[in-house]
Amino acid sequence: NAGVTQTPKFQVLKTGQSMTLQCAQDMNHEYMSWYRQDPGMGLRLIHYSVGAGITDQGEVPNGYNVSRSTTEDFPLRLLSAAPSQTSVYFCASSYSDRGIEGAFFGQGTRLTVV
Amino acid sequence: GQQVMQIPQYQHVQEGEDFTTYCNSSTTLSNIQWYKQRPGGHPVFLIQLVKSGEVKKQKRLTFQFGEAKKNSSLHITATQTTDVGTYFCAGTQGGKLIFGQGTELSVKP
């Protein structure tokens, strides 16, 4: 049972480049989310999904796109990378928004934009 | 929108001392979850509180949910070096899980 798998683990981008952060879960969870973590800022919600075909914006959605074509996958796209997007990105999934198991997080992607 | 504030941001304690982190929401929460993140790791779910005034214990950890369901606390008794990490509270709203800024705990042996 792999849980939540994020790829890549590390990435360096040049300003203006685009890329996709991959997230996959094998627990048949309906809820999936993307967070970014910056020092002193905690975990800020970028986008989330409550099921396949349904996505919505979180606290800091600008500069990011998501789609949810399957239950398992929830990729995060950076359209035109900026240095302000240098951060650690976490994908999370859960059975619901108030499940007794809470949310399961991937190992994170450390992104540097130069 | 929902905001979750957490204090303190940092806490340095001597091993054996107690530790408490506090979480406050601008709106009434349907539930609150607590997570721990070890240095270099990812957040790991600890517990969920749902009922007003609820208190739950996990060994040396005590979690409380306020009567008005707008605040919560995590108390660790007699800290150990294994408690090092950042503790986050998170409130749910319409499918969104909103996190506080976290409290980073360091423990001096």
Side-chain angles (χ1 to χ4, degrees), chain A residues 98-102, chain B residues 31-34 45-66 72-77:
Chain A
R98 57 198 69 191
I100 59 173
E101 294 180 325
Chain B
N31 61 347
I32 194 155
Q33 299 179 357
W34 284 91
F45 175 74
L46 293 176
I47 207 162
Q48 175 173 263
L49 304 173
V50 178
K51 299 177 183 178
S52 170
E54 189 170 15
V55 178
K56 287 188 176 180
K57 292 190 176 184
Q58 289 180 348
K59 297 183 180 178
R60 295 178 293 104
L61 278 62
T62 302
F63 304 85
Q64 293 189 348
F65 202 9
S72 181
S73 65
L74 159 60
H75 180 81
I76 302 178
T77 303

Side-chain angles (χ1 to χ4, degrees), chain A residues 31 33 35 37 39-43 45 48 50 57-59 90 97-103 105-108, chain B residues 2 9-10 30-31 33 35 37 40-45 48 88 92-102:
Chain A
Y31 288 69
S33 305
Y35 294 88
Q37 185 172 32
M41 303 292 288
L43 292 154
L45 181 64
Y48 68 104
V50 299
Q57 296 181 349
E59 301 168 283
F90 286 102
D97 63 346
R98 57 198 69 191
I100 59 173
E101 294 180 325
F105 282 77
Q107 299 294 319
Chain B
Q2 177 181 302
Q9 188 172 357
Y10 302 98
S30 55
N31 61 347
Q33 299 179 357
Y35 292 77
Q37 183 179 25
H42 60 279
V44 175
F45 175 74
Q48 175 173 263
F88 292 97
T92 61
Q93 183 186 55
K96 295 186 291 187
L97 188 61
I98 304 297
F99 282 78
Q101 297 93 328

